[in-house]
Amino acid sequence: MKVLVTGGMGYIGSHTCVQMIEAGMEPIIIDNLCNAKDAVLDRIEALTGTKPQFYLGDIRDEAFLDGGFNQHDIKAVIHFAGLKAVGESVAKPLEYYDNNVNGTLVLARSMRKAGVKSIVFSSSATVYGDPEVVPITEDSPTGQTTNPYGRSKYMVEECLSDLFNAESDWSITLLRYFNPVGAHPSGTMGEDPQGIPNNLMPFIAQVAVGRRESLSVFGNDYPTPDGTGVRDYIHVMDLADGHIAALKAVGEKAGLHIYNLGTGKGSSVLEMVDAFGKACGAPIAYEMCPRRPGDIAECWASTDKAERELGWKATRSVAEMTADTWKWQSNNPHGY
Ligand code: NAD
Ligand code: UFG
């Protein structure tokens, strides 16, 4: 089965392509490489023995997308392409709405022309804002987002929901990721952020490998067991498998399908620091700092719906998340 994967050269997309090939699917990648390196393709080939077809281009280029759909008998689209840095989105809202919202509209239009009406969209737990109760279920309120990135994800969810309301033969799957971390267990593929990492795990990994002096822990006065923020970290390989489970279970069923992809378990910043220290064999240097504006205290997923309807459940532990990240970072200290 041929599946168009937008943003397939990026962190989550590349791991998903590996798992798709292992599952007998044929990913066709579109990526403009604004946040990825072309070396990724060779790594996918080294792991799977298959080099996926890759088209360099932008999802906002409708003629380019039309060409891709004309050349291949695409059955479904997994839509990862987008910009994802929260801080940058505050400084560059127009770029974020153009890439994430307009990009999705162009893609959906091109899909409709080609008669491809199955899309799996990379959404985020950020659409839930600051949750009133945890664990967060799929029918918890959404839309109270705190930055343009989060709003762009929420807007795309709304646009795709409206599309389904108007044209009920679409299969639209919104996957709300919690905190993806980790790397391929081979240590040959992983997250390769440009510049100073915004997210916890890549920052810790760069401290461990000696690229940064110490981690700033953003706040130790939250109402959590140790005072630091609690998140639902999910191994990127589990996340990748979640996409395949979603495609299989609901990708051919008309409907608006919404699932959390998380583990159902929260870990604090200090627990992650401690776990990483164990994985790399040395303590991670850190200092306590003020809270980061916009951060919430805690968030983790209810995983019941995905388990029940997709037959999918995250299985990899925090120890595996940190061990695999360390293998990737220590083998590739400067990324790809
Ligand atoms: P990433 O930046 O590694 O991957 C995104 C890929 O899309 C990159 O390879 C980039 O070059 C490409 N891209 C961006 N804009 C494009 C465009 N206009 N045309 C073509 N290609 C384009 O990010 P990721 O962590 O793999 O995230 C994938 C998706 O998952 C994103 O939509 C992101 O918002 C979403 N998501 C990520 C997280 C996370 O913490 N990583 C959490 C929730 C949701
Ligand atoms: N943190 C630190 N120091 C750092 C980085 C992070 O203490 O240098 C803390 C944060 O305060 C938070 C936790 O580590 O308590 C996790 O922070 P991340 O930046 O790794 O992740 P967030 O939960 O803030 O956000 C992530 C993605 C968003 C996405 C959201 C929900 O970055 O894009 O998960 O899916 F929307």
Side-chain angles (χ1 to χ4, degrees), residues 92-307:
K92 298 180 174 174
L94 295 184
E95 283 80 355
Y96 271 67
Y97 293 125
D98 184 37
N99 237 286
N100 296 1
V101 184
N102 178 41
T104 306
L105 298 182
V106 175
L107 173 66
R109 214 157 46 220
S110 182
M111 288 175 68
R112 181 166 60 182
K113 268 186 276 178
V116 179
K117 296 195 168 186
S118 173
I119 183 169
V120 175
F121 172 63
S122 298
S123 190
S124 165
T126 195
V127 300
Y128 295 116
D130 193 353
E132 267 172 28
V133 280
V134 280
I136 301 175
T137 62
E138 286 80 354
D139 44 25
S140 299
T142 56
Q144 295 305 310
T145 48
T146 55
N147 56 73
Y149 165 71
R151 271 188 285 284
S152 76
K153 290 285 157 187
Y154 175 67
M155 285 178 191
V156 170
E157 285 203 355
E158 294 291 287
C159 292
L160 292 177
S161 305
D162 284 342
L163 173 60
F164 174 73
N165 289 336
E167 300 177 25
S168 59
D169 56 341
W170 280 74
S171 168
I172 292 177
T173 306
L174 311 177
L175 298 181
R176 295 177 179 154
Y177 312 158
F178 280 67
N179 288 58
V181 297
H184 193 275
S186 63
T188 62
M189 280 183 25
E191 190 170 7
D192 183 16
Q194 305 306 303
I196 302 170
N198 300 303
N199 299 115
L200 179 65
M201 191 71 139
F203 202 105
I204 295 179
Q206 291 194 6
V207 172
V209 83
R211 280 176 66 180
R212 316 225 166 247
E213 227 164 76
S214 87
L215 170 76
S216 301
V217 175
F218 297 140
N220 63 349
D221 56 352
Y222 285 106
T224 59
D226 66 19
T228 66
V230 168
R231 297 289 184 277
D232 185 340
Y233 296 94
I234 174 169
H235 199 297
V236 68
M237 298 298 285
D238 277 326
L239 194 65
D241 291 340
H243 290 76
I244 293 163
L247 268 184
K248 286 185 176 163
V250 294
E252 287 177 42
K253 282 189 196 152
L256 177 65
H257 315 288
I258 305 179
Y259 299 100
N260 288 337
L261 296 187
T263 65
K265 182 182 170 296
S267 303
S268 74
V269 175
L270 291 182
E271 283 171 337
M272 296 307 282
V273 165
D274 186 53
F276 208 100
K278 290 197 173 93
C280 73
I284 304 297
Y286 67 87
E287 54 187 340
M288 291 301 177
C289 296
R291 292 181 180 192
R292 183 171 65 177
D295 271 356
I296 58 174
E298 57 181 9
C299 140
W300 63 89
S302 162
T303 59
D304 295 349
K305 190 178 177 205
E307 217 173 311

Side-chain angles (χ1 to χ4, degrees), residues 59-72:
I59 55 161
R60 291 163 296 176
D61 180 346
E62 195 162 337
F64 164 70
L65 293 183
D66 292 347
F69 284 115
N70 284 337
Q71 273 181 51
H72 297 277

